[in-house]
Amino acid sequence: MNDRKTNIYIQGIGSYVPPKSVSNQDLSKKVDTSDEWIFSHTGIKNRHIASAEDSTSDLAVNAVNSLLEKCGLDKKAVGGIIVATATGDYPGFPSTACVIQDKLALDGIMAFDVAAGCTGFIYALNIAESLMAGSSLDNVLVIGAEKLSAVTDWSDRNTCVLFGDGAGVALLSRRDDDYSCFVDSVLHARGSGFDKLMIPSGGTKDKHGEARNLYMDGRAVYTFAVRVVKDVIIELLERNNLTLDQIDWIVPHQANMRIIQAAAKRLGIDESKFFMNIGQYANTSAASIPIALNEMIENNLLERGMTIITVGFGAGLTYGGNVIRW
Ligand code: ACO
C-alpha cells in the first residue's frame, strides 16, 4: 500500500438532515411524475428539505454540534474548518466556512470553502490531511453541507426529484502512534465539461435575468459518472497494489442508484459492495458521503481496521476518491 504515515485519522463523523421529509408521492402532486418513475430511474424514495429560515451553514452547525458531543471534544480544540459546498449561504464571499466559524464562536482559526461540487468532500478530506501533515494543526472539521432545495426549480420534473438537503462532517485528528488512516487519494477534474452541471447565476459571468436554478445535462453526467466511478476505483486499487477483495466497502457519492449499479457491473462486482442510502436522502451533493459514513457507523457496518474507498463525481466536472483504513 501507498502508506503515507501522516498519523492523521478520522476521529468521528456527524451528520444532520432537516426534519421535513418529502416523498415521491408528495412530489407527484406538484409535478407530472410518479413514485414508480423516480424509484426505477434513480433509487430515490424520499428526501429531506430544509425550512426557508435554515441556510447551509445552519445544517452544518447542527452536524458539527452532534459530532463534537459524540467525540467529547471541546470546540476550542478545533484548529480549522473546511467546507465543501455548492450552495453556500452567499454567492461570493464570505465563505460558508467563515459563517459557520462565527456561529460556533471560533474566531481566529483557519476557515475556507472548497468548490468541487459533489466531489467536494473527497477533495476537502485530502486538503485537510495534507494541511495537517505540514503543520501543527491537531483537529480539523471537514464539512460537506448543501441546501440544494434553494437552487432547485420545483416545477422541473427532470431535476426537482433528484436532490435533498443535509450536512455531514468528519473530525480529522492527529494520533500519538503512527497509524495512518489515509492511505491514498486521487483528485481529478474535466473542466471541458463545466457547463454540463452548473448554477448559472450569482457569479461575475451572470447576466441580468439568468436563472438561479441548477442546470444539468442528465444524460451527459450519467455517462461521465459511470465511467469515472469505475476508473477512480481501478486507479486507487492499482496505485496501492490492492484488489477489490481487500476492500470492505466502497462508499460512493449518492447521486443515482443506477450509476452505482452500472459501475459495479463494469467492475464485475456485486453492487452490495457499495453502501447506498440514496433511497432516504436523494442526492445531497457534497454532504452525501459523510451522511453515508455516519449511517454506516450508526448501523455498525464500519469498524476500525476496515479498508474503504470513497468515490465521487460532480460539477466541474470533478471526480476522485480516497482509500481510507478506518
Ligand atoms: N418523472 C417522469 N418522467 C420524467 C421525469 C420524472 N421525474 N424526469 C424526466 N422524465 C422523462 C423525460 O421528460 C423523458 O421523457 P421524454 O422521453 O418524453 O422526453 C423521459 O423521462 C426519459 O428522460 P431521460 O433523461 O432519458 O431519463 P434517464 O433515464 O436518463 O434518467 C436521470 C434521468 C435520472 C436524470 C439520469 O440521466 C441521471 O441520473 N443522470 C445523472 C444525474 C446525476 O448523477 N446528477 C448529479 C451528479 S452531480 C451532483 O450530484 C450535483
Side-chain angles (χ1 to χ4, degrees), residues 9 17 27 37 46 51 59 63 85 107 136 156 160 162-163 179 194 198 217 224 248 266-267 272 278 287 304 313:
Y9 80 120
V17 291
L27 282 180
W37 192 97
N46 201 63
S51 67
L59 307 182
T85 187
D107 268 4
S136 58
D156 175 15
C160 77
L162 302 174
F163 301 107
Y179 184 94
F194 82 88
M198 64 195 307
D217 177 342
F224 162 78
D248 295 290
R266 288 190 183 195
L267 286 161
S272 61
I278 187 169
R304 292 288 172 199
F313 53 87

Side-chain angles (χ1 to χ4, degrees), residues 31-34 37-38 40-42 86 117-119 146 148 156-163 197 214 216-225 253-259 283-286 288 313-315 317:
V31 288
D32 182 15
T33 189
S34 64
W37 192 97
I38 301 171
S40 63
H41 284 73
T42 67
C118 306
T119 323
E146 304 281 9
L148 285 154
D156 175 15
R157 69 175 184 176
N158 289 292
T159 50
C160 77
V161 302
L162 302 174
F163 301 107
L197 180 53
L214 180 147
M216 180 175 71
D217 177 342
R219 289 242 176 109
V221 175
Y222 184 94
T223 309
F224 162 78
H253 166 45
Q254 312 281 319
N256 184 328
M257 187 173 68
R258 279 168 54 219
I259 291 174
N283 179 347
T284 57
S285 189
S288 86
F313 53 87
L317 297 168

Side-chain angles (χ1 to χ4, degrees), residues 190-241:
R190 188 183 296 169
S192 58
F194 82 88
D195 56 353
K196 301 285 184 262
L197 180 53
M198 64 195 307
I199 300 170
S201 67
T204 54
K205 184 81 180 155
D206 193 11
K207 294 185 199 73
H208 184 65
E210 249 188 316
R212 66 188 278 267
N213 294 321
L214 180 147
Y215 162 80
M216 180 175 71
D217 177 342
R219 289 242 176 109
V221 175
Y222 184 94
T223 309
F224 162 78
V226 172
R227 181 169 308 133
V228 300
V229 167
K230 186 197 92 183
D231 289 351
V232 164
I233 292 169
I234 290 176
E235 185 181 4
L236 285 168
L237 293 173
E238 287 180 356
R239 280 165 59 97
N240 296 284
N241 298 319

Side-chain angles (χ1 to χ4, degrees), residues 16-305:
Y16 174 81
V17 291
K20 184 181 173 192
S21 160
V22 176
S23 68
N24 292 348
Q25 282 91 345
D26 294 333
L27 282 180
S28 69
K29 291 173 197 145
K30 293 185 173 165
V31 288
D32 182 15
T33 189
S34 64
D35 177 45
E36 196 282 325
W37 192 97
I38 301 171
F39 184 71
S40 63
H41 284 73
T42 67
I44 297 166
K45 292 291 253 179
N46 201 63
R47 71 282 295 140
H48 290 259
I49 302 296
S51 67
E53 296 73 39
D54 280 341
S55 61
T56 298
S57 65
D58 296 309
L59 307 182
V61 166
N62 285 331
V64 169
N65 285 334
S66 91
L67 169 66
L68 293 177
E69 196 180 315
K70 263 194 283 188
C71 293
L73 188 80
D74 183 342
K75 68 179 182 183
K76 293 196 185 79
V78 172
I81 302 171
I82 304 178
V83 180
T85 187
T87 51
D89 283 24
Y90 302 98
F93 47 76
S95 71
T96 301
C98 285
V99 180
I100 293 168
Q101 176 179 33
D102 177 48
K103 290 182 175 168
L104 292 170
L106 281 175
D107 268 4
I109 65 170
M110 168 191 84
F112 63 92
D113 287 2
V114 171
C118 306
T119 323
F121 186 76
I122 286 170
Y123 267 63
L125 275 184
N126 192 11
I127 292 166
E129 186 226 359
S130 308
L131 270 173
M132 290 173 76
S135 73
S136 58
L137 285 167
D138 286 330
N139 297 294
V140 172
L141 295 172
V142 178
I143 299 170
E146 304 281 9
K147 186 181 178 183
L148 285 154
S149 62
V151 294
T152 300
D153 177 353
W154 290 98
S155 65
D156 175 15
R157 69 175 184 176
N158 289 292
T159 50
C160 77
V161 302
L162 302 174
F163 301 107
D165 299 333
V169 53
L171 172 63
L172 268 60
S173 301
R174 194 179 298 281
R175 290 173 64 106
D176 295 333
D177 56 20
D178 65 354
Y179 184 94
S180 294
C181 172
F182 293 94
V183 178
D184 197 16
S185 305
V186 292
L187 305 179
H188 298 293
R190 188 183 296 169
S192 58
F194 82 88
D195 56 353
K196 301 285 184 262
L197 180 53
M198 64 195 307
I199 300 170
S201 67
T204 54
K205 184 81 180 155
D206 193 11
K207 294 185 199 73
H208 184 65
E210 249 188 316
R212 66 188 278 267
N213 294 321
L214 180 147
Y215 162 80
M216 180 175 71
D217 177 342
R219 289 242 176 109
V221 175
Y222 184 94
T223 309
F224 162 78
V226 172
R227 181 169 308 133
V228 300
V229 167
K230 186 197 92 183
D231 289 351
V232 164
I233 292 169
I234 290 176
E235 185 181 4
L236 285 168
L237 293 173
E238 287 180 356
R239 280 165 59 97
N240 296 284
N241 298 319
L242 286 165
T243 63
L244 278 165
D245 292 343
Q246 293 169 286
I247 305 301
D248 295 290
W249 282 106
I250 299 169
V251 186
H253 166 45
Q254 312 281 319
N256 184 328
M257 187 173 68
R258 279 168 54 219
I259 291 174
I260 306 307
Q261 288 168 333
K265 201 167 164 194
R266 288 190 183 195
L267 286 161
I269 55 171
D270 196 276
E271 66 188 66
S272 61
K273 191 102 174 169
F274 289 81
F275 179 79
M276 277 190 266
N277 65 358
I278 187 169
Q280 276 311 301
Y281 305 106
N283 179 347
T284 57
S285 189
S288 86
I289 290 178
I291 290 174
L293 290 171
N294 196 40
E295 194 162 308
M296 291 172 77
I297 293 168
E298 286 180 350
N299 291 312
N300 299 317
L301 298 174
L302 206 47
E303 290 163 19
R304 292 288 172 199

